[in-house]
Amino acid sequence: MSEDERATAEGMQTCWSDSTPGEIHASFSGHRTLCGKPVIEANPIYASRLGDITCSKCGGIAVFDEGAARTRVREVLDKWIAKGKLTPASATEMGNLAIDVFPGRAFTSRRKGHSWNKISTDFLLASGAATDKDASARFVGELGLAVFEGLQASEYQGKY
């Protein structure tokens, strides 16, 4: 799916997949969920609400522009590669993992009414980046914060 196809949550359809009974996903095509599962049924756009989505991965993709997060992540990775602390291959793997996981978690937290400050602080504490002093902890902290900054900057401004 191109960036233009998912630039905003407008045009999203709620849908269902056989592989996750009872879970409500999102789609922009009606054929595949945003998390990649085949769609068995989709609501029309006019009957679809972001608030109905229960799949955190689909929700994260629907309400955040991952491109904005990827740009910020790339800046962090390039800095660590330039220092010789990461290889390009491991940097790409780490960046992709962060982009794959964090939008869904941010979607769930934002839906609960948590602020971006709380989301970032909870991440830093849970990952050890706030308390550990080694380079790995600093890297994890920088990477996570970069993702959250990108997600915050691109967050859909409607209700979800």
Side-chain angles (χ1 to χ4, degrees):
M1 166 182 336
S2 75
E3 289 294 323
D4 292 334
E5 288 178 84
R6 76 131 251 100
T8 70
E10 306 300 325
M12 177 276 314
Q13 297 172 268
T14 51
C15 59
W16 296 264
S17 177
D18 272 339
S19 61
T20 54
E23 190 162 38
I24 302 172
H25 295 272
S27 176
F28 286 108
S29 68
H31 300 291
R32 284 233 173 254
T33 66
L34 296 180
C35 66
K37 295 174 177 48
V39 171
I40 57 168
E41 181 182 352
N43 277 333
I45 293 169
Y46 68 85
S48 298
R49 305 284 177 266
L50 287 169
D52 295 337
I53 300 170
T54 59
C55 173
S56 62
K57 184 154 179 86
C58 284
I61 294 169
V63 301
F64 303 117
D65 178 0
E66 291 179 2
R70 278 191 193 285
T71 298
R72 286 185 167 85
V73 164
R74 188 78 251 163
E75 292 167 2
V76 170
L77 297 176
D78 288 346
K79 180 176 85 173
W80 283 78
I81 290 169
K83 289 181 181 178
K85 307 274 185 185
L86 285 175
T87 66
S90 64
T92 299
E93 185 178 333
M94 292 293 291
N96 287 339
L97 179 62
I99 295 294
D100 189 49
V101 173
F102 293 150
R105 291 185 179 173
F107 172 78
T108 301
S109 292
R110 292 293 288 159
R111 180 177 266 178
K112 290 178 182 176
H114 296 165
S115 69
W116 283 106
N117 186 46
K118 177 174 177 29
I119 293 168
S120 298
T121 302
D122 288 351
F123 164 74
L124 291 172
L125 292 172
S127 69
T131 56
D132 293 347
K133 302 292 184 212
D134 66 350
S136 296
R138 281 193 306 276
F139 170 70
V140 168
E142 278 187 59
L143 187 63
L145 291 177
V147 173
F148 293 137
E149 288 169 4
L151 297 178
Q152 181 180 5
S154 68
E155 183 176 20
Y156 175 71
Q157 295 305 302
K159 186 175 189 304
Y160 64 91

